[in-house]
Amino acid sequence: MLRSLLLLLSRQSWLRRWMETSPAADRLTSRFIAGSTLERELAVCTRLQAEGILATLDHLGESVTSLEDAAAARDDYLAALDRLDALHLPATVSVKLTQLGLDFSEDACRANVERLVERAHAMNSRVEIDMESSEYVDRTLRLVSALHARYASVRAVIQSYLYRSESDIEALCRQGIPVRLCKGAYREPPDVAFPKKKDVDANYVRLMIQLLDRGTCPALATHDVQMLRRAITHVRERNIAPDRFEFQMLYGVGRDLQRRLVAEGFRIRLYVPYGNAWYPYFMRRLAERPANVLFLARNLLKN
Ligand code: FDA
């Protein structure tokens, strides 16, 4: 109920405008978002690297309103890749195709992403293509396959709440495309996605094992301790080396868990967002764990 309300609010543009320009924005968001500028993002990534944690940068923004905005988003990412290269930070970038123009033109979007993948390839990094709501899945996977065939240096994202994901993973494994597996963060109808969390979780375990056994450099993106335990048992049973896969988590979520995994010798990468357009991302994080609303309220009342 609260989850649905938060997801509904995440799509309200009036509330978004008000929140994103609020003087309390920094105080509100600092747990989940590195800051509004690239330099603040890089400072967080450098600090994480010193703790043995990798990063993937997310320049916040989705569903741009013109191809000019999409080109600007591409240029922001190119600038981020240049800075990562200069600092020798072994980070990747995560992009949303709607931010790079997918709602306007598949060709223009592909050209934008291709510039990023070319740059990432040249510096031995990777572009991780986030998965958005189910209407985008076919177009996203088409673009990922085409870019992988040309450069490699991409990673697809698959959501365990979708019924189709097992066959999508099969196809991605056949092509040797790395996959990030997550549960899925959007509101989907019951004809495309499991409505019950226990089915989403059970499917996560199935897909995770499919990826660990047959995938290329899979990334298991979850904070769910049951899933993590299951993954660790599986890799130990099968003697899968810790450098053949990675765990991924969100910046600010499950911080103790992150440190424990590093101490146990696992590779872990955090998804670290930055920028001014934080509202939809932030609201999805609240929806995932309504207790975060209390955390937010406490922060607002401080000072
Ligand atoms: P689950 O929701 O079952 O939570 C397990 C436990 O984790 C909770 O009990 C709680 O303790 C903790 N937790 C989870 N979320 C929390 C939060 N926001 N705050 C505090 N605690 C929290 N989705 C998508 O649709 N497309 C994408 O491209 C991506 N990309 C992506 C990258 C990375 C690195 C991660 C970690 C996640 C994504 N996601 C995503 C989001 C994903 O689909 C999912 O919504 C969240 O990860 C929450 O699901 P969990 O697997 O953590 O499990």
Side-chain angles (χ1 to χ4, degrees):
M1 175 76 177
L2 184 55
R3 174 167 189 262
S4 301
L5 175 66
L6 289 165
L7 287 173
L8 178 74
L9 291 177
S10 78
R11 296 190 294 272
Q12 304 306 308
S13 50
W14 60 273
L15 189 57
R16 175 176 180 172
R17 265 194 305 280
W18 181 68
M19 296 270 282
E20 285 181 349
T21 51
S22 153
D26 250 15
R27 198 145 35 97
L28 214 65
T29 60
S30 61
R31 169 161 168 194
F32 299 116
I33 292 158
S36 53
T37 62
L38 174 59
E39 291 313 311
R40 283 177 68 176
E41 169 81 359
L42 294 167
V44 168
C45 296
T46 306
R47 176 170 57 71
L48 291 172
Q49 200 204 3
E51 294 175 43
I53 296 176
L54 299 164
T56 183
L57 277 67
D58 168 35
H59 188 226
L60 289 164
E62 47 201 85
S63 302
V64 293
T65 51
S66 68
L67 280 176
E68 288 71 37
D69 288 349
R74 175 204 64 207
D75 292 344
D76 286 340
Y77 269 111
L78 283 172
L81 285 164
D82 286 345
R83 293 285 289 129
L84 288 175
D85 198 13
L87 293 170
H88 306 294
L89 275 172
T92 62
V93 294
S94 285
V95 302
K96 287 193 171 44
L97 295 187
T98 58
Q99 188 182 6
L100 294 166
L102 187 58
D103 286 329
F104 299 96
S105 153
E106 202 170 324
D107 286 345
C109 175
R110 182 184 154 162
N112 284 335
V113 186
E114 185 155 0
R115 290 273 303 278
L116 303 183
V117 176
E118 218 176 346
R119 181 70 185 91
H121 180 72
M123 57 191 267
N124 204 18
S125 177
R126 201 192 291 282
V127 178
E128 312 205 17
I129 316 273
D130 287 355
M131 190 57 83
E132 300 176 71
S133 55
S134 54
E135 67 192 284
Y136 295 109
V137 176
D138 283 323
R139 283 174 285 171
T140 303
L141 293 180
R142 209 161 39 231
L143 190 142
V144 169
S145 292
L147 291 175
H148 172 82
R150 182 129 193 233
Y151 303 93
S153 306
V154 285
R155 194 195 304 274
V157 177
I158 292 292
Q159 300 149 321
S160 74
Y161 62 19
L162 296 184
Y163 301 129
R164 58 178 287 171
S165 289
E166 186 173 349
S167 67
D168 285 338
I169 287 188
E170 243 353 287
L172 290 161
C173 287
R174 268 199 307 276
Q175 298 167 79
I177 300 179
V179 172
R180 172 201 300 160
L181 179 65
C182 65
K183 290 187 186 173
Y186 297 83
R187 188 120 207 102
E188 297 291 354
D191 57 324
V192 299
F194 295 103
K196 292 201 181 115
K197 184 171 182 331
K198 74 171 180 28
D199 296 323
V200 177
D201 289 353
N203 200 36
Y204 193 97
V205 173
R206 267 195 301 277
L207 301 180
M208 174 173 89
I209 287 173
Q210 191 185 0
L211 281 172
L212 286 170
D213 289 347
R214 292 199 296 286
T216 308
C217 316
L220 305 175
T222 181
H223 318 90
D224 186 328
V225 180
Q226 305 295 336
M227 304 293 130
L228 295 170
R229 276 210 197 104
R230 189 74 180 73
I232 292 171
T233 306
H234 188 77
V235 297
R236 287 192 173 140
E237 277 170 9
R238 299 285 167 108
N239 269 329
I240 298 173
D243 61 354
R244 288 221 13 245
F245 68 96
E246 66 188 40
F247 292 114
Q248 293 192 347
M249 292 190 197
L250 302 177
Y251 179 66
V253 179
R255 286 175 285 196
D256 294 342
L257 198 55
Q258 293 164 14
R259 263 110 208 145
R260 277 212 302 279
L261 289 170
V262 174
E264 285 184 47
F266 292 108
R267 184 148 70 176
I268 167 151
R269 185 182 304 278
L270 294 194
Y271 186 99
V272 189
Y274 70 103
N276 292 319
W278 50 264
Y279 179 74
Y281 176 88
F282 180 74
M283 293 301 278
R284 284 199 297 276
R285 301 295 77 83
L286 293 187
E288 275 155 13
R289 192 168 184 241
N292 286 340
V293 177
L294 285 179
F295 162 85
L296 174 113
R298 269 202 309 274
N299 259 14
L300 276 179
L301 292 174
K302 260 192 227 158
N303 296 329

